[in-house]
Amino acid sequence: MIPQLVRGATAGALSTLAMSAVMLAGQKSGLMPGQPPKHIVRAALPGHRQRPKPGERVLGAAAHLGFGATSGAAFALLTRGRGSGVPLGVGYALLIWLGAYEGWVPALNILPPASRDPARGRPVVMAAAHVVYGATLALAVRAMRGADGRHDEKEER
């Protein structure tokens, strides 16, 4: 199980980097005001939830990478010994997006729900970024398992 977690976490971290490129492009193109991980960290740090805080950008990036690695480890465990195709990875990532941006992020009053976000480009960019995360995650997990999946079979013996 430990090798699966490590492979999944590694795949999740790599996938988070690919996802972050989409998010940065969305911000630079003006579709998205700021990075959601930074807003989440800003709200978690002491002080006013809406005011910038020292270190929030670095902490936001670290938290995002950690969340992506953890989600990747969970995906590797959930798909252990089964096909982890791109459609499954994309579906998994979109469930994460829905749970966060229609669930706990608005519940904590950090950002509005994606369905009512006044920054119309943010939900589109974030959904696209999660599609990239999920596709990359599925491909990376599969590649790390080996083309025929024999690594998992050896680990279970």
Side-chain angles (χ1 to χ4, degrees), residues 88-116:
L88 183 61
V90 169
Y92 176 75
L94 287 173
L95 285 174
I96 292 170
W97 174 69
L98 282 171
Y101 294 98
E102 287 290 337
W104 66 268
V105 172
L108 294 174
N109 201 30
I110 297 170
L111 291 169
S115 58
R116 294 192 310 257

Side-chain angles (χ1 to χ4, degrees), residues 10-147:
T10 302
L14 292 171
S15 300
T16 301
L17 295 176
M19 171 188 196
S20 295
V22 175
M23 293 166 60
L24 286 170
Q27 181 180 354
K28 290 199 181 284
S29 69
L31 293 171
M32 186 169 72
Q35 297 293 313
K38 180 182 77 173
H39 292 290
I40 292 167
V41 166
R42 180 182 288 173
L45 291 172
H48 193 280
R49 320 175 55 85
Q50 304 301 329
R51 291 202 182 115
K53 302 191 178 107
E56 68 184 21
R57 185 180 303 174
V58 172
L59 289 172
H64 192 231
L65 192 62
F67 188 82
T70 302
S71 297
F75 180 78
L77 281 181
L78 291 170
T79 61
R80 182 177 73 208
R82 293 181 290 271
S84 58
V86 170
L88 183 61
V90 169
Y92 176 75
L94 287 173
L95 285 174
I96 292 170
W97 174 69
L98 282 171
Y101 294 98
E102 287 290 337
W104 66 268
V105 172
L108 294 174
N109 201 30
I110 297 170
L111 291 169
S115 58
R116 294 192 310 257
D117 196 330
R120 288 309 207 188
R122 183 171 29 222
V124 174
V125 170
M126 292 307 294
H130 281 81
V131 167
V132 168
Y133 174 86
T136 306
L137 177 64
L139 293 170
V141 166
R142 185 186 313 158
M144 289 181 192
R145 281 183 179 150

